[in-house]
Amino acid sequence: MKEYYEAFESCLEAMENGDSLDTCLERYPDLAGELRPLLETAQAARSIADDSIPNSAFHRSRSRILGKASQLRAQREPKQFIFGRVPRMAMVALALALIFFMSWRGVIETARALPGDPFYSVKRSAQNIRIQIAPNPDTKRAIEVKYERQRVDEVMRLLRMGRITQVTFEGLLNERTSDRWIIEGIPVIVTPDTQIAGEIEEARVVEVTGKTQSDGVIEASQINGGIVVAMRYCAGIVLCGFGGVFGHVEAVLIEPADVVLCCRIALCGGFHVPGVSLLIVLFYAEPAFVHEADISQCAQLTVACGLIEPETCLLVIFLDAGAGLEAVAQLFLGGMVAGIGI
Amino acid sequence: MSDSKSELDGLRDLNSQVISSIHNRYFPEVFRYARYRLGDETLAEDIAGEAFTRLLESVNAGGGPHTNLRGWLMSTTSNLVNDHLRQAYAHPTETLPDDLEPQADGPNPAQHFEQSDRNQLIRGALMALTMDQQQVIALRFGGGYSLAETAALMDKNINAIKALQYRAIAALRRGFGDELV
């Protein structure tokens, strides 16, 4: 192809210097068939150029820019010093109060900071340090997952506020049309300029980089597919319906449409013995979507799988490989709940 | 290209004379670039004005160009045009092109409308290209920049620009089909 690029460029230069198209092509008889339409196209692209500058536009722009300069200069004027008469001790007290207030406020502001805020880089640095010092890979992954979830929440807040800023987040691709995708419930506009890399599939995790817009969408500059997330296996055991009051527990397979995003049912079965119904559900979830609320949903799903009201269940034993006791302890389903992290 | 230190210092001081001189020198090429990309004088004026406003805001905040003022202005203008086009792709509206109105001293109305159709066809095909392809065509064929200047403005090497312009023109040609030439 280099030969074509060079010949094309050489012809462009020759035509700029006054050569005709045909004269130029005579120098490249082997490439003439390919080059002719391209050189004609280049001439067409040149033909719409206009060198004129409207006087009115020029003068309006100059007035605008000089006005802006004048405005910025006025803002640079030193502020009048107003503390001259305040006693020295009062100044010290005021400074200390200010430092205390600002450091406390700084902590709060940092925690609440969103992309584009002055404290946001501090927040991300602190989170990165927390990930780095995690005592083991499971904890590290759990922290990463929590922060990935935070990125999504931050984007949703920015969109609600109508703020325009650069963001990056990971999420599940819910729907995809040619120019509008829904990722983790967030509408993402895909333009011809959006770079798309990796394998993109619905119901899989993708990474989005783009800019939030004031109308509640994100304009994506890059979308990466093929994000691999390890499956996480959980098991739930539900002991329900003592004394046959609530009837038998039937083995029910839940349709995929009924399954909440966080969980995929692998097995759901139950049996009934006089007085006791026992339901066993095995399911797995992708770690990116497992956090406290999701685990609670998973447990509710365990119960819903047997078509039993959560309140009727006396005991739910929830086994979760990887969540740890801290997350499992968040469960509460009306009855007595026990969680075991394994 | 490196702008003189005294000029950049004057810009940082928000010196009116320096700003006026910078505006007079660069406004024409910034405006022409934006008009070529957008095909609309009013929009081009807004974008050019915004590029100069951002220049002042950046230098006032301690940023802005340190050596190449022209490169900074053209790059900012290009980003503003790209942002505008992305918005336009996301929320398309019907607008009348500037060249629809016959000029008193121009060709007769029939020739004018034929020319206008042809320009619309070229612009339509241009808009379908990637932002990089639009930019290289606007610089090379709209602004008449050399390969080296285009490479410097797009922060690429000359060979990359040769390849990009070739692909851009080929894509433009496919966009026309056989309708134009």
Side-chain angles (χ1 to χ4, degrees):
Chain A
M1 285 306 283
K2 201 176 172 192
E3 186 190 3
Y4 284 94
Y5 302 156
E6 295 295 344
F8 180 65
E9 179 56 28
S10 159
C11 284
L12 287 178
E13 273 179 32
M15 286 161 65
E16 253 177 39
N17 293 328
D19 281 3
S20 71
L21 178 60
D22 289 320
T23 313
C24 183
L25 289 176
E26 277 168 16
R27 274 183 245 143
Y28 301 98
D30 296 343
L31 307 179
E34 290 277 336
L35 290 180
R36 179 181 291 281
L38 299 185
L39 290 167
E40 285 170 350
T41 305
Q43 283 179 321
R46 264 201 193 115
S47 73
I48 58 167
D50 179 3
D51 283 340
S52 67
I53 301 294
N55 263 337
S56 53
F58 181 86
H59 292 298
R60 269 196 303 269
S61 172
R62 193 168 59 179
S63 301
R64 175 179 166 184
I65 195 81
L66 291 174
K68 180 73 186 178
S70 163
Q71 182 195 339
L72 290 173
R73 271 196 306 273
Q75 287 169 7
R76 278 186 185 179
E77 296 295 323
K79 300 280 184 291
Q80 200 180 354
F81 188 63
I82 58 168
F83 296 118
R85 292 181 213 159
V86 181
R88 182 179 292 263
M89 284 305 289
M91 285 286 286
V92 172
L94 183 66
L96 286 173
L98 206 61
I99 289 167
F100 176 78
F101 175 74
M102 285 179 73
S103 49
W104 176 245
R105 188 174 172 78
V107 171
I108 295 170
E109 289 294 324
T110 302
R112 289 178 182 165
L114 292 172
D117 287 347
F119 284 103
Y120 190 68
S121 57
V122 178
K123 175 181 177 179
R124 292 297 300 269
S125 302
Q127 292 185 346
N128 287 337
I129 291 169
R130 205 178 155 202
I131 290 170
Q132 292 305 320
I133 61 172
N136 57 57
D138 283 347
T139 311
K140 184 176 180 176
R141 184 62 197 142
I143 296 171
E144 282 172 347
V145 165
K146 181 178 168 188
Y147 291 152
E148 279 160 14
R149 193 77 209 178
Q150 260 189 28
R151 300 291 85 80
V152 173
D153 293 340
E154 287 164 1
V155 170
M156 287 175 164
R157 281 171 62 197
L158 285 170
L159 292 176
R160 278 197 298 273
M161 293 158 77
R163 273 174 53 180
I164 299 174
T165 191
Q166 189 74 18
V167 293
T168 297
F169 69 98
E170 280 182 18
L172 198 72
L173 174 58
N174 310 127
E175 280 178 46
R176 175 163 63 146
T177 58
S178 61
D179 61 348
R180 189 182 170 89
W181 298 12
I182 304 292
I183 297 168
E184 200 64 22
I186 297 168
V188 175
I189 301 298
V190 177
T191 70
D193 213 31
T194 304
Q195 294 179 349
I196 297 175
E199 198 179 338
I200 306 286
E201 269 184 74
E202 283 189 18
R204 306 303 301 171
V205 178
V206 294
E207 185 192 58
V208 184
T209 300
K211 206 177 247 185
T212 54
Q213 301 296 311
S214 53
D215 53 356
V217 300
I218 290 178
E219 273 190 24
S221 56
Q222 182 154 9
I223 298 179
N224 294 327
I227 308 285
V228 177
V229 286
M231 289 294 124
R232 172 164 152 176
Y233 295 90
C234 317
I237 300 172
V238 189
L239 199 59
C240 304
F242 275 89
V245 177
F246 304 104
H248 296 271
V249 175
E250 301 291 341
V252 180
L253 282 176
I254 294 185
E255 292 296 319
D258 298 329
V259 179
V260 289
L261 269 183
C262 71
C263 300
R264 288 153 198 251
I265 297 294
L267 174 71
C268 178
F271 64 88
H272 175 73
V273 293
V276 178
S277 292
L278 182 65
L279 178 72
I280 298 173
V281 181
L282 294 175
F283 51 87
Y284 63 96
E286 292 176 1
F289 306 101
V290 176
H291 59 129
E292 287 83 349
D294 290 336
I295 288 173
S296 175
Q297 270 186 310
C298 287
Q300 288 183 36
L301 183 70
T302 306
V303 178
C305 182
L307 301 179
I308 292 173
E309 294 296 317
E311 295 77 31
T312 65
C313 295
L314 192 64
L315 180 67
V316 174
I317 298 174
F318 188 79
L319 308 173
D320 178 8
L325 282 173
E326 184 190 352
V328 176
Q330 304 285 332
L331 294 174
F332 185 75
L333 286 173
M336 187 172 68
V337 176
I340 302 172
I342 54 175
Chain B
M1 185 193 295
S2 156
D3 295 275
S4 74
K5 188 175 179 306
S6 61
E7 185 172 59
L8 287 171
D9 288 343
L11 177 62
R12 282 181 207 296
D13 290 337
L14 299 175
N15 179 305
S16 291
Q17 264 188 325
V18 174
I19 290 168
S20 182
S21 148
I22 287 172
H23 176 270
N24 296 353
R25 193 175 338 137
Y26 294 116
F27 178 82
E29 55 184 300
V30 167
F31 175 82
R32 275 197 292 263
Y33 172 84
R35 181 175 55 191
Y36 187 90
R37 292 277 314 267
L38 298 165
D40 184 321
E41 280 195 353
T42 311
L43 265 178
E45 185 184 334
D46 284 345
I47 297 266
E50 181 62 22
F52 281 97
T53 301
R54 290 201 183 181
L55 173 68
L56 292 192
E57 285 171 347
S58 292
V59 296
N60 191 48
H66 293 290
T67 51
N68 188 350
L69 180 52
R70 182 204 209 183
W72 193 97
L73 275 170
M74 292 304 287
S75 159
T76 302
T77 308
S78 177
N79 290 338
L80 288 167
V81 169
N82 290 349
D83 285 349
H84 173 82
L85 289 175
R86 287 194 191 103
Q87 291 278 0
Y89 291 141
H91 308 286
T93 52
E94 204 64 44
T95 54
L96 284 177
D98 275 341
D99 52 6
L100 210 59
E101 188 87 17
Q103 304 296 310
D105 54 350
N108 68 46
Q111 285 173 325
H112 174 84
F113 286 118
E114 191 178 321
Q115 179 67 36
S116 174
D117 278 352
R118 184 175 183 279
N119 289 358
Q120 284 309 302
L121 186 64
I122 297 170
R123 289 203 185 286
L126 262 176
M127 293 294 181
L129 305 185
T130 66
M131 295 295 175
D132 265 1
Q133 289 175 339
Q134 288 184 40
Q135 193 179 358
V136 79
I137 287 180
L139 291 170
R140 292 283 285 131
F141 306 106
Y145 291 86
S146 69
L147 270 181
E149 286 172 321
T150 306
L153 290 172
M154 292 185 72
D155 201 20
K156 294 181 192 289
N157 66 43
I158 288 182
N159 287 334
I161 293 295
K162 279 184 191 169
L164 179 60
Q165 92 174 351
Y166 188 91
R167 286 198 302 272
I169 287 291
L172 190 62
R173 172 72 191 191
R174 286 194 296 277
F176 295 161
D178 290 317
E179 290 182 70
L180 192 69
V181 282

